[in-house]
Amino acid sequence: MSLITFRPPVAPSPGTGYAPQLKILAAEFGDGYSQPTPDGINHIKDQVSLRWDSLSMEQMHQIHDFFMRQQGTRAFYYTGWGQRGATKWTCKEFAPKQGEDGVWTYQATLVQSFTNER
């Protein structure tokens, strides 16, 4: 089964944040010396924080339904602003919030995926 591509109904609001997650193992020695080493071949994963402001209920449902279908475990492709191409991601953290006058805000955190799925 091929991976699907996340195409939100509107682009995320300004303020998208990219932050790498590093998995490092380190041996600490008694004289203050430490020896760090990467924990695996894919020890650096990108993490992206996305936010959508001023969504209609329909737009909010489109985004929310996508993440619910992926169940936090299924990878998907997404090309974020400034990225050179599509990257595989998973999303375990997402939340809609209703504001005034029926306007919605939505936040999601994507973590780069290194699964064998294509």
Side-chain angles (χ1 to χ4, degrees):
M1 183 171 153
S2 63
L3 296 180
I4 60 175
T5 299
F6 176 47
R7 292 186 177 92
V10 294
S13 300
T16 296
Y18 287 90
Q21 294 179 333
L22 283 74
K23 286 184 67 180
I24 305 291
L25 298 173
E28 302 288 332
F29 300 98
D31 60 356
Y33 175 75
S34 67
Q35 187 175 14
T37 188
D39 185 5
I41 60 171
N42 295 316
H43 74 286
I44 300 174
K45 289 183 179 183
D46 282 335
Q47 179 174 302
V48 178
S49 298
L50 301 175
R51 189 184 80 245
W52 289 267
D53 296 323
S54 303
L55 293 173
S56 68
M57 185 181 288
E58 178 61 30
Q59 291 168 327
M60 179 278 296
H61 279 295
Q62 287 176 23
I63 294 169
H64 188 68
D65 291 348
F66 177 86
F67 290 131
M68 290 297 289
R69 282 190 305 272
Q70 298 311 105
Q71 301 179 1
T73 60
R74 295 185 186 128
F76 55 89
Y77 287 112
Y78 175 68
T79 304
W81 186 85
Q83 288 186 306
R84 293 186 178 133
T87 303
K88 281 194 293 186
W89 304 94
T90 57
C91 182
K92 297 178 191 174
E93 297 177 22
F94 49 92
K97 182 178 178 185
Q98 185 176 12
E100 297 177 19
D101 300 325
V103 176
W104 290 82
T105 300
Y106 204 95
Q107 290 187 252
T109 301
L110 310 185
V111 177
Q112 189 176 11
S113 174
F114 293 106
T115 64
N116 291 333
E117 301 170 280
R118 293 191 182 266

